[in-house]
Amino acid sequence: MKEGSKISRREFMMMAGLACTAVLSASSLGSVLKPSIAEAAEKPDVEHINDVLKNMFGSRKIEMAHVKLKTPIIAENGAVVPVTVISDLPMEKDNYVKKIYIFVDENYHPFTASAELSPANGKATLALRIKMRKTSNVRAVVETSTGKLYSAIKAVKVTIGGCGG
Amino acid sequence: MPKGIGKIKIRVPRKIKKGAVIPVKALITHPMETGFRKDKKTKKRIPAYYINDVNVYYGNDLITHMEWTIAVSANPFMTFYLKADKAAPLKIVWKDIKGGEYEKTIQINPQ
């Protein structure tokens, strides 16, 4: 009787352990595999960030100044990443920030959004929530009405599993 | 998935001084489908469906025009600034790639 109960207890523990690992591996596999399957089914044409920038701005010089990019360091959910672009450039009638661009380097299509501003905005700031496929640099480019380009880059880590690791 | 597409909320400060630069926050419900996702049941690809054009009017002037792509999150939320130098309506118009047009107007009354 004693022996029997011991075995059943051990068996139970083992079974419980197995079930636990099975569930864990299934769930982690599922979350890892899901996006890759979806991607394999629909192979989008991948654009490289350098080509995109070249197409948009040609060989114009982009200076790393006057732009501040606010992003989380770690984004737990790549589908919703808050991004804020702030520029200290003036918003006067003949000298203002004409356009703000947001890019995500590792997305299939790095160009995410752009905003054409006017002096009526008073402040060259734009906040938006964007999607990120995976850990990547986020890039903001600001174009002034005088034709100058400024930029800022920030790395954002995306943890798909949601475990924060 | 949100049921009501095109529900809009716009927030501005309650008290606005004349000439002050104020933040305008705007939220619209929209699925923003990328075209990469698959329906789990039917295994069919969900076609792309997203907002690609946003216009902001202050009075009669178009003050901001935005271009969006699939990489803007579902239920897009944005913040931009406005120099409140006149009492005028502020109208925001969102357009999606299926021809949907959603707009909301609020009154800006600086004191």
PDB file of all heavy atoms in Angstrom, chain A residues 42 44 79-80 111-116 118 120-121 125-131, chain B residues 32 34 36 38 45 63-67 69-73 77-79 81-83:
ATOM      1  N   GLU A  42       3.883  34.767 -47.282  1.00  0.00           N
ATOM      2  CA  GLU A  42       3.807  36.006 -48.054  1.00  0.00           C
ATOM      3  C   GLU A  42       5.167  36.667 -48.004  1.00  0.00           C
ATOM      4  O   GLU A  42       5.478  37.409 -47.093  1.00  0.00           O
ATOM      5  CB  GLU A  42       2.731  36.908 -47.463  1.00  0.00           C
ATOM      6  CG  GLU A  42       2.679  38.308 -48.049  1.00  0.00           C
ATOM      7  CD  GLU A  42       2.282  38.323 -49.502  1.00  0.00           C
ATOM      8  OE1 GLU A  42       1.691  37.334 -49.965  1.00  0.00           O
ATOM      9  OE2 GLU A  42       2.572  39.326 -50.152  1.00  0.00           O
ATOM     10  N   PRO A  44       7.260  39.370 -48.744  1.00  0.00           N
ATOM     11  CA  PRO A  44       7.184  40.720 -49.292  1.00  0.00           C
ATOM     12  C   PRO A  44       8.548  41.137 -49.854  1.00  0.00           C
ATOM     13  O   PRO A  44       9.563  40.582 -49.465  1.00  0.00           O
ATOM     14  CB  PRO A  44       6.838  41.568 -48.082  1.00  0.00           C
ATOM     15  CG  PRO A  44       7.108  40.721 -46.892  1.00  0.00           C
ATOM     16  CD  PRO A  44       7.445  39.336 -47.301  1.00  0.00           C
ATOM     17  N   ALA A  79       4.022  45.420 -31.854  1.00  0.00           N
ATOM     18  CA  ALA A  79       2.895  45.961 -32.610  1.00  0.00           C
ATOM     19  C   ALA A  79       2.531  47.371 -32.167  1.00  0.00           C
ATOM     20  O   ALA A  79       1.835  48.080 -32.876  1.00  0.00           O
ATOM     21  CB  ALA A  79       1.681  45.050 -32.490  1.00  0.00           C
ATOM     22  N   VAL A  80       2.966  47.753 -30.971  1.00  0.00           N
ATOM     23  CA  VAL A  80       2.640  49.089 -30.471  1.00  0.00           C
ATOM     24  C   VAL A  80       3.885  49.666 -29.799  1.00  0.00           C
ATOM     25  O   VAL A  80       4.171  49.375 -28.654  1.00  0.00           O
ATOM     26  CB  VAL A  80       1.477  49.054 -29.455  1.00  0.00           C
ATOM     27  CG1 VAL A  80       1.091  50.453 -29.048  1.00  0.00           C
ATOM     28  CG2 VAL A  80       0.276  48.333 -30.043  1.00  0.00           C
ATOM     29  N   PHE A 111      10.091  52.745 -44.507  1.00  0.00           N
ATOM     30  CA  PHE A 111       9.347  53.999 -44.379  1.00  0.00           C
ATOM     31  C   PHE A 111       8.036  53.756 -43.637  1.00  0.00           C
ATOM     32  O   PHE A 111       7.208  52.958 -44.066  1.00  0.00           O
ATOM     33  CB  PHE A 111       9.081  54.597 -45.759  1.00  0.00           C
ATOM     34  CG  PHE A 111       8.168  55.791 -45.718  1.00  0.00           C
ATOM     35  CD1 PHE A 111       8.578  56.956 -45.097  1.00  0.00           C
ATOM     36  CD2 PHE A 111       6.897  55.747 -46.262  1.00  0.00           C
ATOM     37  CE1 PHE A 111       7.742  58.058 -45.029  1.00  0.00           C
ATOM     38  CE2 PHE A 111       6.050  56.840 -46.202  1.00  0.00           C
ATOM     39  CZ  PHE A 111       6.476  57.999 -45.587  1.00  0.00           C
ATOM     40  N   THR A 112       7.875  54.435 -42.521  1.00  0.00           N
ATOM     41  CA  THR A 112       6.715  54.196 -41.658  1.00  0.00           C
ATOM     42  C   THR A 112       5.671  55.284 -41.791  1.00  0.00           C
ATOM     43  O   THR A 112       4.499  55.012 -42.001  1.00  0.00           O
ATOM     44  CB  THR A 112       7.177  54.090 -40.192  1.00  0.00           C
ATOM     45  OG1 THR A 112       8.083  52.995 -40.090  1.00  0.00           O
ATOM     46  CG2 THR A 112       6.012  53.889 -39.260  1.00  0.00           C
ATOM     47  N   ALA A 113       6.103  56.523 -41.659  1.00  0.00           N
ATOM     48  CA  ALA A 113       5.150  57.623 -41.730  1.00  0.00           C
ATOM     49  C   ALA A 113       5.892  58.915 -41.991  1.00  0.00           C
ATOM     50  O   ALA A 113       7.085  59.032 -41.728  1.00  0.00           O
ATOM     51  CB  ALA A 113       4.361  57.731 -40.431  1.00  0.00           C
ATOM     52  N   SER A 114       5.162  59.885 -42.535  1.00  0.00           N
ATOM     53  CA  SER A 114       5.732  61.220 -42.669  1.00  0.00           C
ATOM     54  C   SER A 114       4.654  62.237 -42.356  1.00  0.00           C
ATOM     55  O   SER A 114       3.465  61.945 -42.487  1.00  0.00           O
ATOM     56  CB  SER A 114       6.277  61.440 -44.085  1.00  0.00           C
ATOM     57  OG  SER A 114       5.208  61.580 -44.990  1.00  0.00           O
ATOM     58  N   ALA A 115       5.076  63.408 -41.920  1.00  0.00           N
ATOM     59  CA  ALA A 115       4.127  64.476 -41.616  1.00  0.00           C
ATOM     60  C   ALA A 115       4.656  65.774 -42.180  1.00  0.00           C
ATOM     61  O   ALA A 115       5.796  66.161 -41.911  1.00  0.00           O
ATOM     62  CB  ALA A 115       3.925  64.599 -40.112  1.00  0.00           C
ATOM     63  N   GLU A 116       3.822  66.415 -43.002  1.00  0.00           N
ATOM     64  CA  GLU A 116       4.186  67.732 -43.525  1.00  0.00           C
ATOM     65  C   GLU A 116       3.619  68.761 -42.575  1.00  0.00           C
ATOM     66  O   GLU A 116       2.408  68.851 -42.374  1.00  0.00           O
ATOM     67  CB  GLU A 116       3.587  67.931 -44.916  1.00  0.00           C
ATOM     68  CG  GLU A 116       4.379  67.279 -46.019  1.00  0.00           C
ATOM     69  CD  GLU A 116       3.621  67.269 -47.329  1.00  0.00           C
ATOM     70  OE1 GLU A 116       3.006  68.295 -47.665  1.00  0.00           O
ATOM     71  OE2 GLU A 116       3.625  66.221 -47.992  1.00  0.00           O
ATOM     72  N   SER A 118       3.518  72.892 -40.912  1.00  0.00           N
ATOM     73  CA  SER A 118       3.538  74.287 -41.350  1.00  0.00           C
ATOM     74  C   SER A 118       3.789  75.149 -40.111  1.00  0.00           C
ATOM     75  O   SER A 118       3.696  74.658 -38.994  1.00  0.00           O
ATOM     76  CB  SER A 118       2.207  74.635 -42.008  1.00  0.00           C
ATOM     77  OG  SER A 118       1.181  74.542 -41.042  1.00  0.00           O
ATOM     78  N   ALA A 120       1.961  76.986 -38.623  1.00  0.00           N
ATOM     79  CA  ALA A 120       0.786  76.978 -37.741  1.00  0.00           C
ATOM     80  C   ALA A 120       0.867  75.887 -36.689  1.00  0.00           C
ATOM     81  O   ALA A 120       0.080  75.866 -35.748  1.00  0.00           O
ATOM     82  CB  ALA A 120      -0.480  76.811 -38.572  1.00  0.00           C
ATOM     83  N   ASN A 121       1.808  74.951 -36.837  1.00  0.00           N
ATOM     84  CA  ASN A 121       1.961  73.915 -35.822  1.00  0.00           C
ATOM     85  C   ASN A 121       2.689  74.443 -34.579  1.00  0.00           C
ATOM     86  O   ASN A 121       2.516  73.909 -33.495  1.00  0.00           O
ATOM     87  CB  ASN A 121       2.729  72.716 -36.380  1.00  0.00           C
ATOM     88  CG  ASN A 121       1.882  71.886 -37.321  1.00  0.00           C
ATOM     89  OD1 ASN A 121       2.023  71.963 -38.521  1.00  0.00           O
ATOM     90  ND2 ASN A 121       0.966  71.129 -36.759  1.00  0.00           N
ATOM     91  N   THR A 125       7.006  68.774 -33.481  1.00  0.00           N
ATOM     92  CA  THR A 125       6.961  67.550 -32.681  1.00  0.00           C
ATOM     93  C   THR A 125       5.844  66.660 -33.192  1.00  0.00           C
ATOM     94  O   THR A 125       4.763  67.132 -33.513  1.00  0.00           O
ATOM     95  CB  THR A 125       6.722  67.895 -31.199  1.00  0.00           C
ATOM     96  OG1 THR A 125       7.840  68.641 -30.725  1.00  0.00           O
ATOM     97  CG2 THR A 125       6.565  66.644 -30.356  1.00  0.00           C
ATOM     98  N   LEU A 126       6.138  65.370 -33.263  1.00  0.00           N
ATOM     99  CA  LEU A 126       5.131  64.408 -33.691  1.00  0.00           C
ATOM    100  C   LEU A 126       5.288  63.131 -32.880  1.00  0.00           C
ATOM    101  O   LEU A 126       6.385  62.618 -32.728  1.00  0.00           O
ATOM    102  CB  LEU A 126       5.301  64.089 -35.181  1.00  0.00           C
ATOM    103  CG  LEU A 126       4.425  62.980 -35.741  1.00  0.00           C
ATOM    104  CD1 LEU A 126       2.982  63.433 -35.849  1.00  0.00           C
ATOM    105  CD2 LEU A 126       4.925  62.507 -37.093  1.00  0.00           C
ATOM    106  N   ALA A 127       4.191  62.657 -32.328  1.00  0.00           N
ATOM    107  CA  ALA A 127       4.209  61.381 -31.615  1.00  0.00           C
ATOM    108  C   ALA A 127       3.269  60.423 -32.313  1.00  0.00           C
ATOM    109  O   ALA A 127       2.187  60.807 -32.753  1.00  0.00           O
ATOM    110  CB  ALA A 127       3.788  61.575 -30.164  1.00  0.00           C
ATOM    111  N   LEU A 128       3.708  59.178 -32.443  1.00  0.00           N
ATOM    112  CA  LEU A 128       2.920  58.179 -33.156  1.00  0.00           C
ATOM    113  C   LEU A 128       3.239  56.814 -32.556  1.00  0.00           C
ATOM    114  O   LEU A 128       4.312  56.610 -31.999  1.00  0.00           O
ATOM    115  CB  LEU A 128       3.328  58.213 -34.633  1.00  0.00           C
ATOM    116  CG  LEU A 128       2.344  57.767 -35.685  1.00  0.00           C
ATOM    117  CD1 LEU A 128       1.078  58.596 -35.651  1.00  0.00           C
ATOM    118  CD2 LEU A 128       2.974  57.900 -37.072  1.00  0.00           C
ATOM    119  N   ARG A 129       2.280  55.898 -32.683  1.00  0.00           N
ATOM    120  CA  ARG A 129       2.569  54.522 -32.269  1.00  0.00           C
ATOM    121  C   ARG A 129       2.821  53.707 -33.519  1.00  0.00           C
ATOM    122  O   ARG A 129       2.018  53.729 -34.441  1.00  0.00           O
ATOM    123  CB  ARG A 129       1.381  53.940 -31.508  1.00  0.00           C
ATOM    124  CG  ARG A 129       1.229  54.542 -30.134  1.00  0.00           C
ATOM    125  CD  ARG A 129       0.060  53.912 -29.451  1.00  0.00           C
ATOM    126  NE  ARG A 129      -0.242  54.566 -28.200  1.00  0.00           N
ATOM    127  CZ  ARG A 129      -1.429  54.479 -27.619  1.00  0.00           C
ATOM    128  NH1 ARG A 129      -2.403  53.804 -28.191  1.00  0.00           N
ATOM    129  NH2 ARG A 129      -1.642  55.070 -26.474  1.00  0.00           N
ATOM    130  N   ILE A 130       3.942  52.982 -33.535  1.00  0.00           N
ATOM    131  CA  ILE A 130       4.308  52.264 -34.753  1.00  0.00           C
ATOM    132  C   ILE A 130       4.530  50.778 -34.487  1.00  0.00           C
ATOM    133  O   ILE A 130       4.627  50.347 -33.347  1.00  0.00           O
ATOM    134  CB  ILE A 130       5.569  52.871 -35.403  1.00  0.00           C
ATOM    135  CG1 ILE A 130       6.764  52.791 -34.456  1.00  0.00           C
ATOM    136  CG2 ILE A 130       5.318  54.298 -35.824  1.00  0.00           C
ATOM    137  CD1 ILE A 130       8.082  53.097 -35.124  1.00  0.00           C
ATOM    138  N   LYS A 131       4.609  50.011 -35.580  1.00  0.00           N
ATOM    139  CA  LYS A 131       4.848  48.567 -35.489  1.00  0.00           C
ATOM    140  C   LYS A 131       6.298  48.280 -35.821  1.00  0.00           C
ATOM    141  O   LYS A 131       6.858  48.870 -36.742  1.00  0.00           O
ATOM    142  CB  LYS A 131       3.979  47.825 -36.507  1.00  0.00           C
ATOM    143  CG  LYS A 131       2.506  47.853 -36.216  1.00  0.00           C
ATOM    144  CD  LYS A 131       1.770  47.162 -37.342  1.00  0.00           C
ATOM    145  CE  LYS A 131       0.302  47.498 -37.309  1.00  0.00           C
ATOM    146  NZ  LYS A 131      -0.332  47.299 -38.603  1.00  0.00           N
TER     147      LYS A 131
ATOM    148  N   MET B  32      -5.846  48.630 -39.309  1.00  0.00           N
ATOM    149  CA  MET B  32      -4.512  48.799 -39.904  1.00  0.00           C
ATOM    150  C   MET B  32      -3.893  47.455 -40.274  1.00  0.00           C
ATOM    151  O   MET B  32      -2.798  47.107 -39.830  1.00  0.00           O
ATOM    152  CB  MET B  32      -3.582  49.566 -38.942  1.00  0.00           C
ATOM    153  CG  MET B  32      -4.029  50.958 -38.595  1.00  0.00           C
ATOM    154  SD  MET B  32      -4.065  52.095 -39.978  1.00  0.00           S
ATOM    155  CE  MET B  32      -2.353  52.582 -40.095  1.00  0.00           C
ATOM    156  N   THR B  34      -1.873  44.724 -42.219  1.00  0.00           N
ATOM    157  CA  THR B  34      -0.657  44.868 -43.008  1.00  0.00           C
ATOM    158  C   THR B  34      -0.739  44.139 -44.347  1.00  0.00           C
ATOM    159  O   THR B  34       0.000  44.437 -45.272  1.00  0.00           O
ATOM    160  CB  THR B  34       0.547  44.285 -42.253  1.00  0.00           C
ATOM    161  OG1 THR B  34       0.276  42.907 -41.991  1.00  0.00           O
ATOM    162  CG2 THR B  34       0.793  45.003 -40.957  1.00  0.00           C
ATOM    163  N   PHE B  36       0.032  40.997 -44.367  1.00  0.00           N
ATOM    164  CA  PHE B  36       0.921  39.854 -44.135  1.00  0.00           C
ATOM    165  C   PHE B  36       0.248  38.799 -43.263  1.00  0.00           C
ATOM    166  O   PHE B  36       0.648  37.656 -43.236  1.00  0.00           O
ATOM    167  CB  PHE B  36       2.210  40.293 -43.429  1.00  0.00           C
ATOM    168  CG  PHE B  36       2.997  41.301 -44.195  1.00  0.00           C
ATOM    169  CD1 PHE B  36       3.726  42.276 -43.532  1.00  0.00           C
ATOM    170  CD2 PHE B  36       3.025  41.274 -45.577  1.00  0.00           C
ATOM    171  CE1 PHE B  36       4.464  43.205 -44.245  1.00  0.00           C
ATOM    172  CE2 PHE B  36       3.765  42.193 -46.293  1.00  0.00           C
ATOM    173  CZ  PHE B  36       4.484  43.166 -45.625  1.00  0.00           C
ATOM    174  N   LYS B  38      -2.431  36.136 -41.535  1.00  0.00           N
ATOM    175  CA  LYS B  38      -3.328  35.115 -42.070  1.00  0.00           C
ATOM    176  C   LYS B  38      -4.453  34.872 -41.085  1.00  0.00           C
ATOM    177  O   LYS B  38      -4.240  34.904 -39.873  1.00  0.00           O
ATOM    178  CB  LYS B  38      -2.560  33.808 -42.258  1.00  0.00           C
ATOM    179  CG  LYS B  38      -2.011  33.636 -43.635  1.00  0.00           C
ATOM    180  CD  LYS B  38      -1.383  32.272 -43.723  1.00  0.00           C
ATOM    181  CE  LYS B  38      -1.162  31.824 -45.126  1.00  0.00           C
ATOM    182  NZ  LYS B  38      -0.665  30.454 -45.149  1.00  0.00           N
ATOM    183  N   ARG B  45      -5.055  34.771 -46.447  1.00  0.00           N
ATOM    184  CA  ARG B  45      -4.393  36.024 -46.115  1.00  0.00           C
ATOM    185  C   ARG B  45      -5.434  37.129 -45.930  1.00  0.00           C
ATOM    186  O   ARG B  45      -6.382  37.250 -46.700  1.00  0.00           O
ATOM    187  CB  ARG B  45      -3.437  36.395 -47.247  1.00  0.00           C
ATOM    188  CG  ARG B  45      -2.277  37.251 -46.844  1.00  0.00           C
ATOM    189  CD  ARG B  45      -1.208  37.195 -47.926  1.00  0.00           C
ATOM    190  NE  ARG B  45      -1.754  37.598 -49.213  1.00  0.00           N
ATOM    191  CZ  ARG B  45      -1.926  38.872 -49.557  1.00  0.00           C
ATOM    192  NH1 ARG B  45      -1.569  39.833 -48.747  1.00  0.00           N
ATOM    193  NH2 ARG B  45      -2.420  39.170 -50.728  1.00  0.00           N
ATOM    194  N   ILE B  63      -3.051  72.620 -42.342  1.00  0.00           N
ATOM    195  CA  ILE B  63      -1.814  72.907 -41.615  1.00  0.00           C
ATOM    196  C   ILE B  63      -0.891  71.693 -41.517  1.00  0.00           C
ATOM    197  O   ILE B  63       0.313  71.827 -41.404  1.00  0.00           O
ATOM    198  CB  ILE B  63      -2.094  73.464 -40.194  1.00  0.00           C
ATOM    199  CG1 ILE B  63      -2.843  72.453 -39.333  1.00  0.00           C
ATOM    200  CG2 ILE B  63      -2.830  74.779 -40.273  1.00  0.00           C
ATOM    201  CD1 ILE B  63      -2.687  72.742 -37.856  1.00  0.00           C
ATOM    202  N   THR B  64      -1.445  70.498 -41.552  1.00  0.00           N
ATOM    203  CA  THR B  64      -0.606  69.310 -41.466  1.00  0.00           C
ATOM    204  C   THR B  64      -1.172  68.228 -42.380  1.00  0.00           C
ATOM    205  O   THR B  64      -2.383  68.019 -42.429  1.00  0.00           O
ATOM    206  CB  THR B  64      -0.558  68.777 -40.016  1.00  0.00           C
ATOM    207  OG1 THR B  64      -0.084  69.813 -39.170  1.00  0.00           O
ATOM    208  CG2 THR B  64       0.376  67.587 -39.893  1.00  0.00           C
ATOM    209  N   HIS B  65      -0.266  67.586 -43.093  1.00  0.00           N
ATOM    210  CA  HIS B  65      -0.666  66.470 -43.941  1.00  0.00           C
ATOM    211  C   HIS B  65       0.252  65.304 -43.622  1.00  0.00           C
ATOM    212  O   HIS B  65       1.463  65.468 -43.606  1.00  0.00           O
ATOM    213  CB  HIS B  65      -0.537  66.860 -45.416  1.00  0.00           C
ATOM    214  CG  HIS B  65      -0.551  65.683 -46.329  1.00  0.00           C
ATOM    215  ND1 HIS B  65      -1.690  64.976 -46.598  1.00  0.00           N
ATOM    216  CD2 HIS B  65       0.436  65.052 -47.004  1.00  0.00           C
ATOM    217  CE1 HIS B  65      -1.400  63.970 -47.414  1.00  0.00           C
ATOM    218  NE2 HIS B  65      -0.118  64.003 -47.677  1.00  0.00           N
ATOM    219  N   MET B  66      -0.320  64.152 -43.314  1.00  0.00           N
ATOM    220  CA  MET B  66       0.514  63.004 -42.974  1.00  0.00           C
ATOM    221  C   MET B  66       0.298  61.874 -43.955  1.00  0.00           C
ATOM    222  O   MET B  66      -0.788  61.694 -44.495  1.00  0.00           O
ATOM    223  CB  MET B  66       0.177  62.494 -41.574  1.00  0.00           C
ATOM    224  CG  MET B  66       0.548  63.466 -40.486  1.00  0.00           C
ATOM    225  SD  MET B  66       0.364  62.712 -38.880  1.00  0.00           S
ATOM    226  CE  MET B  66       0.076  64.178 -37.900  1.00  0.00           C
ATOM    227  N   GLU B  67       1.372  61.127 -44.161  1.00  0.00           N
ATOM    228  CA  GLU B  67       1.312  59.932 -44.983  1.00  0.00           C
ATOM    229  C   GLU B  67       1.640  58.765 -44.073  1.00  0.00           C
ATOM    230  O   GLU B  67       2.681  58.758 -43.420  1.00  0.00           O
ATOM    231  CB  GLU B  67       2.395  60.037 -46.060  1.00  0.00           C
ATOM    232  CG  GLU B  67       1.883  59.915 -47.466  1.00  0.00           C
ATOM    233  CD  GLU B  67       3.022  60.138 -48.426  1.00  0.00           C
ATOM    234  OE1 GLU B  67       3.771  59.187 -48.660  1.00  0.00           O
ATOM    235  OE2 GLU B  67       3.199  61.279 -48.886  1.00  0.00           O
ATOM    236  N   THR B  69       1.817  54.380 -43.415  1.00  0.00           N
ATOM    237  CA  THR B  69       1.925  53.079 -44.068  1.00  0.00           C
ATOM    238  C   THR B  69       1.387  52.004 -43.121  1.00  0.00           C
ATOM    239  O   THR B  69       0.880  52.313 -42.046  1.00  0.00           O
ATOM    240  CB  THR B  69       3.392  52.759 -44.405  1.00  0.00           C
ATOM    241  OG1 THR B  69       4.101  52.594 -43.179  1.00  0.00           O
ATOM    242  CG2 THR B  69       4.034  53.859 -45.219  1.00  0.00           C
ATOM    243  N   ILE B  70       1.561  50.750 -43.519  1.00  0.00           N
ATOM    244  CA  ILE B  70       1.097  49.639 -42.688  1.00  0.00           C
ATOM    245  C   ILE B  70       1.812  49.581 -41.342  1.00  0.00           C
ATOM    246  O   ILE B  70       1.353  48.927 -40.437  1.00  0.00           O
ATOM    247  CB  ILE B  70       1.307  48.287 -43.406  1.00  0.00           C
ATOM    248  CG1 ILE B  70       2.750  48.168 -43.899  1.00  0.00           C
ATOM    249  CG2 ILE B  70       0.322  48.125 -44.536  1.00  0.00           C
ATOM    250  CD1 ILE B  70       3.111  46.791 -44.382  1.00  0.00           C
ATOM    251  N   ALA B  71       2.953  50.254 -41.227  1.00  0.00           N
ATOM    252  CA  ALA B  71       3.741  50.157 -40.001  1.00  0.00           C
ATOM    253  C   ALA B  71       3.259  51.107 -38.909  1.00  0.00           C
ATOM    254  O   ALA B  71       3.919  51.264 -37.892  1.00  0.00           O
ATOM    255  CB  ALA B  71       5.207  50.404 -40.295  1.00  0.00           C
ATOM    256  N   VAL B  72       2.105  51.739 -39.110  1.00  0.00           N
ATOM    257  CA  VAL B  72       1.507  52.509 -38.024  1.00  0.00           C
ATOM    258  C   VAL B  72       0.570  51.551 -37.282  1.00  0.00           C
ATOM    259  O   VAL B  72      -0.162  50.784 -37.894  1.00  0.00           O
ATOM    260  CB  VAL B  72       0.745  53.733 -38.568  1.00  0.00           C
ATOM    261  CG1 VAL B  72      -0.018  54.440 -37.457  1.00  0.00           C
ATOM    262  CG2 VAL B  72       1.716  54.695 -39.232  1.00  0.00           C
ATOM    263  N   SER B  73       0.620  51.581 -35.956  1.00  0.00           N
ATOM    264  CA  SER B  73      -0.108  50.603 -35.139  1.00  0.00           C
ATOM    265  C   SER B  73      -1.612  50.648 -35.372  1.00  0.00           C
ATOM    266  O   SER B  73      -2.154  51.665 -35.805  1.00  0.00           O
ATOM    267  CB  SER B  73       0.165  50.847 -33.663  1.00  0.00           C
ATOM    268  OG  SER B  73       1.522  50.710 -33.401  1.00  0.00           O
ATOM    269  N   PHE B  77      -2.839  56.348 -32.829  1.00  0.00           N
ATOM    270  CA  PHE B  77      -2.886  57.454 -31.877  1.00  0.00           C
ATOM    271  C   PHE B  77      -1.735  58.385 -32.200  1.00  0.00           C
ATOM    272  O   PHE B  77      -0.609  57.948 -32.346  1.00  0.00           O
ATOM    273  CB  PHE B  77      -2.745  56.906 -30.453  1.00  0.00           C
ATOM    274  CG  PHE B  77      -2.619  57.974 -29.406  1.00  0.00           C
ATOM    275  CD1 PHE B  77      -3.719  58.718 -29.038  1.00  0.00           C
ATOM    276  CD2 PHE B  77      -1.403  58.225 -28.785  1.00  0.00           C
ATOM    277  CE1 PHE B  77      -3.614  59.703 -28.074  1.00  0.00           C
ATOM    278  CE2 PHE B  77      -1.287  59.207 -27.825  1.00  0.00           C
ATOM    279  CZ  PHE B  77      -2.397  59.944 -27.463  1.00  0.00           C
ATOM    280  N   MET B  78      -2.045  59.667 -32.333  1.00  0.00           N
ATOM    281  CA  MET B  78      -0.971  60.602 -32.669  1.00  0.00           C
ATOM    282  C   MET B  78      -1.078  61.856 -31.807  1.00  0.00           C
ATOM    283  O   MET B  78      -2.136  62.193 -31.292  1.00  0.00           O
ATOM    284  CB  MET B  78      -1.036  60.979 -34.143  1.00  0.00           C
ATOM    285  CG  MET B  78      -2.335  61.683 -34.513  1.00  0.00           C
ATOM    286  SD  MET B  78      -2.306  62.272 -36.201  1.00  0.00           S
ATOM    287  CE  MET B  78      -3.996  62.776 -36.415  1.00  0.00           C
ATOM    288  N   THR B  79       0.050  62.513 -31.673  1.00  0.00           N
ATOM    289  CA  THR B  79       0.079  63.807 -31.006  1.00  0.00           C
ATOM    290  C   THR B  79       0.857  64.770 -31.877  1.00  0.00           C
ATOM    291  O   THR B  79       1.944  64.449 -32.342  1.00  0.00           O
ATOM    292  CB  THR B  79       0.771  63.708 -29.634  1.00  0.00           C
ATOM    293  OG1 THR B  79       0.166  62.657 -28.885  1.00  0.00           O
ATOM    294  CG2 THR B  79       0.656  65.013 -28.865  1.00  0.00           C
ATOM    295  N   TYR B  81       1.320  69.368 -32.562  1.00  0.00           N
ATOM    296  CA  TYR B  81       1.106  70.646 -31.888  1.00  0.00           C
ATOM    297  C   TYR B  81       0.409  71.654 -32.783  1.00  0.00           C
ATOM    298  O   TYR B  81       0.402  71.534 -34.007  1.00  0.00           O
ATOM    299  CB  TYR B  81       2.437  71.188 -31.365  1.00  0.00           C
ATOM    300  CG  TYR B  81       2.866  70.438 -30.122  1.00  0.00           C
ATOM    301  CD1 TYR B  81       3.445  69.182 -30.211  1.00  0.00           C
ATOM    302  CD2 TYR B  81       2.636  70.966 -28.857  1.00  0.00           C
ATOM    303  CE1 TYR B  81       3.795  68.472 -29.083  1.00  0.00           C
ATOM    304  CE2 TYR B  81       2.986  70.273 -27.723  1.00  0.00           C
ATOM    305  CZ  TYR B  81       3.568  69.023 -27.841  1.00  0.00           C
ATOM    306  OH  TYR B  81       3.900  68.320 -26.716  1.00  0.00           O
ATOM    307  N   LEU B  82      -0.198  72.631 -32.136  1.00  0.00           N
ATOM    308  CA  LEU B  82      -0.969  73.632 -32.863  1.00  0.00           C
ATOM    309  C   LEU B  82      -0.783  74.978 -32.175  1.00  0.00           C
ATOM    310  O   LEU B  82      -0.849  75.077 -30.950  1.00  0.00           O
ATOM    311  CB  LEU B  82      -2.454  73.234 -32.829  1.00  0.00           C
ATOM    312  CG  LEU B  82      -3.442  74.245 -33.392  1.00  0.00           C
ATOM    313  CD1 LEU B  82      -3.351  74.270 -34.905  1.00  0.00           C
ATOM    314  CD2 LEU B  82      -4.857  73.894 -32.966  1.00  0.00           C
ATOM    315  N   LYS B  83      -0.531  75.998 -32.983  1.00  0.00           N
ATOM    316  CA  LYS B  83      -0.439  77.347 -32.424  1.00  0.00           C
ATOM    317  C   LYS B  83      -1.840  77.942 -32.442  1.00  0.00           C
ATOM    318  O   LYS B  83      -2.379  78.269 -33.501  1.00  0.00           O
ATOM    319  CB  LYS B  83       0.531  78.190 -33.251  1.00  0.00           C
ATOM    320  CG  LYS B  83       0.949  79.426 -32.515  1.00  0.00           C
ATOM    321  CD  LYS B  83       2.079  80.115 -33.227  1.00  0.00           C
ATOM    322  CE  LYS B  83       2.542  81.288 -32.404  1.00  0.00           C
ATOM    323  NZ  LYS B  83       3.509  82.107 -33.107  1.00  0.00           N
TER     324      LYS B  83
END
